[in-house]
Amino acid sequence: MYTIIEVGAKQYTVKKEDIVEVEKQVGEAGEEIVLDKVLLISAEDVIQIGQPYLKTARVKAVILKHLKAPKVISFKYRRRKASHWKKGHRQNLTQLQIKEISLG
């Protein structure tokens, strides 16, 4: 059984007991959250697809920790213009462990 969920404008394929890193979610480590934006559930021989979401489907997850992604460097250079800039960015992430997938 697997499901496709939407968290923070990104989609993830998850199964029970999977660990995923998503954009930062509100809550403390060890707290349980419910993800209700479920796009698809595949169970045994049945596949249910939402329009865009399944109304009764829920995914329960536990927050393991908050962390930061590796730094991404953005650099722009204009030749012969003495113009350049460099920026760095580290995205805040939350590590989730999927505990339960329910159809409702």
Side-chain angles (χ1 to χ4, degrees):
M1 174 182 223
Y2 72 92
T3 183
I4 298 176
I5 58 173
E6 183 178 317
V7 181
K10 294 188 177 109
Q11 297 176 5
Y12 302 91
T13 302
V14 296
K15 295 182 278 194
K16 189 175 178 181
E17 299 302 322
D18 275 358
I19 295 175
V20 292
E21 291 179 355
V22 299
E23 289 183 11
K24 184 165 181 163
Q25 300 294 305
V26 178
E28 298 294 322
E31 189 175 321
E32 186 174 284
I33 62 172
V34 177
L35 306 170
D36 58 352
K37 292 186 176 181
V38 179
L39 301 164
L40 177 140
I41 289 184
S42 172
E44 288 95 41
D45 298 334
V46 179
I47 295 178
Q48 293 185 351
I49 301 172
Q51 299 290 336
Y53 306 116
L54 292 167
K55 295 187 188 316
T56 59
R58 302 283 182 260
V59 174
K60 291 183 182 176
V62 174
I63 297 175
L64 297 179
K65 63 181 177 179
H66 297 287
L67 57 131
K68 283 188 160 189
K71 183 173 273 194
V72 177
I73 303 294
S74 176
F75 184 78
K76 184 159 186 161
Y77 177 79
R78 292 186 181 96
R79 62 186 181 150
R80 300 186 302 269
K81 304 293 185 196
S83 171
H84 65 274
W85 53 257
K86 178 179 177 181
K87 294 180 183 176
H89 175 73
R90 288 186 73 184
Q91 183 69 37
N92 291 317
L93 301 174
T94 300
Q95 195 174 54
L96 299 176
Q97 182 173 21
I98 306 302
K99 287 296 181 184
E100 181 184 345
I101 299 170
S102 64
L103 293 170

